[in-house]
């Protein structure tokens, strides 16, 4: 087996697709026999994401993947329905955009200034629901998404507690590794520097490098134009679209997506949505 050394991380990476597959096969043997949704979840692509997240270290990847399988069996993220988290979404604080970026990646819009609840459990369930929905709507040739975070109306007084932020980072990095392609922090106020100082230690280097601060200047506009079709991008981010967020229309889309989700996970639609469709 041939390998190349990634000197910046001190880890060995596969030098060919054959080597990658050999590592995937090793990991599959290491996690042992699976059944049901766990077997469906652990596709070769999934195993590669966990390996990449741990720099192809088999032991670390095995530990991370086993913990995620256990979490999914307990938390059942694929069973969280729109009805479960609709209230959390009323203000449009987290939702999937109706467009993709230029690479075809799903875009999640986050507007922390529109926080409308205080319970961490509900907020995290909405996050997990949104992640699952974003993944469900990825094109076949893409496995990563973009987070577009709007700081309009955000302040330290209405920001989510540090504990919730810590749990959000943990879920993103450990339950959905290699799913984030880019996080755009749009026009954060200067006071955000204080909050960022607290949040930054929760992020691993790989995640941190995907975070881009974008301000309302020529440099920020150029980055947005490189990533998004400005005709489709919401005007709140300097784009030309006036669509915005409509809770009723978004709810209808989420209910439609539940049919797709049920088909993918082979769920009983009555159990998955709380009502027959």
């Amino acid at each position: 087996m041939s390998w190349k050394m990634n000197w910046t991380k001190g880890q060995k990476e596969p030098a060919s697709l054959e080597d990658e597959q050999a590592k995937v096969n090793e990991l599959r043997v290491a996690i042992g026999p699976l059944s049901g949704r766990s077997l469906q979840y652990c596709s070769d692509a999934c195993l590669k994401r966990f390996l990449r997240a741990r720099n192809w270290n088999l032991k670390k990847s095995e530990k991370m993947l086993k913990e995620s399988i256990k979490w999914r069996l307990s938390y059942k993220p694929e069973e969280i329905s729109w009805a479960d988290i609709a209230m959390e979404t009323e203000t449009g604080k987290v939702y999937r955009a109706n467009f993709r970026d230029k690479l075809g990646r799903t875009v999640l819009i986050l507007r922390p200034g529109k926080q409308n609840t205080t319970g961490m459990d509900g907020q995290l369930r909405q996050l997990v629901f949104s992640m699952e929905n974003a993944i469900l709507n990825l094109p076949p040739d893409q496995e990563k998404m973009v987070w577009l975070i709007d700081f309009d109306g955000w302040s330290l007084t209405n920001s989510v507690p540090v504990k919730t932020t810590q749990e959000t980072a943990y879920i993103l990095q450990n339950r959905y590794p290699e799913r984030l392609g880019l996080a755009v922090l749009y026009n954060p106020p200067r006071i955000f520097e204080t909050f960022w100082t607290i949040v930054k230690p929760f992020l691993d280097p790989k995640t941190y490098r995907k975070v881009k601060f974008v301000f309302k200047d020529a440099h920020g506009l150029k980055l947005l134009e490189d990533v998004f079709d400005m005709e489709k991008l919401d005007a709140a981010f300097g784009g030309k679209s006036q669509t915005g967020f409509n809770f009723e229309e978004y709810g209808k889309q989420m209910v439609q997506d539940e049919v797709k989700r049920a088909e993918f996970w082979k769920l009983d639609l009555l159990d998955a949505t709380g009502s027959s469709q």
Side-chain angles (χ1 to χ4, degrees):
M1 184 179 295
S2 58
W3 298 88
K4 63 180 179 180
M5 179 67 76
N6 183 334
W7 294 108
T8 60
K9 298 170 187 166
Q11 299 287 343
K12 292 180 178 178
E13 293 184 357
S16 68
L17 293 177
E18 291 77 12
D19 291 339
E20 280 191 4
Q21 188 60 49
K23 202 71 172 177
V24 167
N25 295 342
E26 285 186 65
L27 180 55
R28 192 171 295 284
V29 170
I31 61 176
L34 301 169
S35 62
R37 295 178 200 169
S38 296
L39 179 60
Q40 183 180 354
Y41 173 71
C42 290
S43 63
D44 281 6
C46 174
L47 267 59
K48 285 183 182 180
R49 285 192 293 272
F50 278 84
L51 284 162
R52 288 199 301 268
R54 290 296 177 262
N55 298 321
W56 300 92
N57 182 299
L58 183 62
K59 288 296 183 183
K60 291 181 179 180
S61 301
E62 177 189 350
K63 181 177 184 293
M64 184 187 192
L65 181 54
K66 283 182 175 179
E67 289 174 351
S68 289
I69 292 171
K70 183 178 179 180
W71 173 78
R72 293 188 72 89
L73 288 171
S74 172
Y75 201 83
K76 299 185 184 335
E78 69 280 354
E79 294 186 17
I80 301 174
S81 71
W82 169 246
D84 293 332
I85 57 88
M87 183 186 72
E88 294 281 350
T89 315
E90 286 181 347
T91 58
K93 65 183 180 185
V94 180
Y95 65 95
R96 176 172 60 82
N98 61 359
F99 61 88
R100 296 187 179 123
D101 80 339
K102 289 183 176 180
L103 296 179
R105 297 178 292 193
T106 303
V107 178
L108 280 184
I109 306 291
L110 294 87
R111 291 191 158 119
K114 294 185 179 293
Q115 184 58 254
N116 63 328
T117 63
T118 57
M120 182 174 73
D121 289 346
Q123 292 169 7
L124 293 179
R125 283 178 71 80
Q126 185 203 22
L127 171 71
V128 170
F129 173 90
S130 300
M131 292 293 293
E132 293 285 321
N133 182 266
I135 292 167
L136 187 68
N137 283 281
L138 284 169
D141 62 342
Q142 185 56 262
E143 61 179 4
K144 297 189 178 185
M145 67 186 72
V146 174
W147 281 20
L148 186 51
I149 306 173
D150 177 18
F151 282 88
D152 183 50
W154 180 90
S155 68
L156 287 177
T157 57
N158 67 8
S159 63
V160 297
V162 172
K163 176 63 174 176
T164 304
T165 302
Q166 185 179 14
E167 288 297 318
T168 297
Y170 183 85
I171 288 173
L172 174 64
Q173 295 172 155
N174 294 280
R175 304 298 178 234
Y176 297 94
E178 295 295 301
R179 284 299 193 180
L180 181 65
L182 175 69
V184 176
L185 278 57
Y186 185 72
N187 204 40
R190 184 172 294 277
I191 193 65
F192 180 73
E193 293 178 9
T194 301
F195 188 76
W196 182 245
T197 301
I198 300 172
V199 172
K200 188 176 174 181
F202 302 151
L203 304 178
D204 64 40
K206 279 191 173 184
T207 302
Y208 175 72
R209 286 193 290 270
K210 296 172 183 176
V211 176
K212 303 295 181 185
F213 286 78
V214 175
F215 298 94
K216 295 180 180 180
D217 54 26
H219 178 74
L221 178 62
K222 176 65 168 55
L223 187 147
L224 292 173
E225 290 175 340
D226 288 344
V227 176
F228 303 103
D229 179 343
M230 300 303 284
E231 295 292 333
K232 298 177 180 179
L233 186 64
D234 195 294
F237 299 100
K240 298 180 180 180
S241 173
Q242 300 294 329
T243 303
F245 175 76
N246 182 296
F247 176 68
E248 288 74 21
E249 292 302 316
Y250 189 70
K252 292 177 183 178
Q253 181 61 61
M254 293 301 100
V255 171
Q256 291 177 16
D257 282 355
E258 289 191 334
V259 177
K260 187 193 306 185
R261 181 195 63 179
E263 291 174 349
F264 180 81
W265 289 109
K266 300 176 178 61
L267 301 174
D268 182 285
L269 197 58
L270 179 62
D271 293 337
T273 65
S275 62
S276 58
Q277 299 293 326

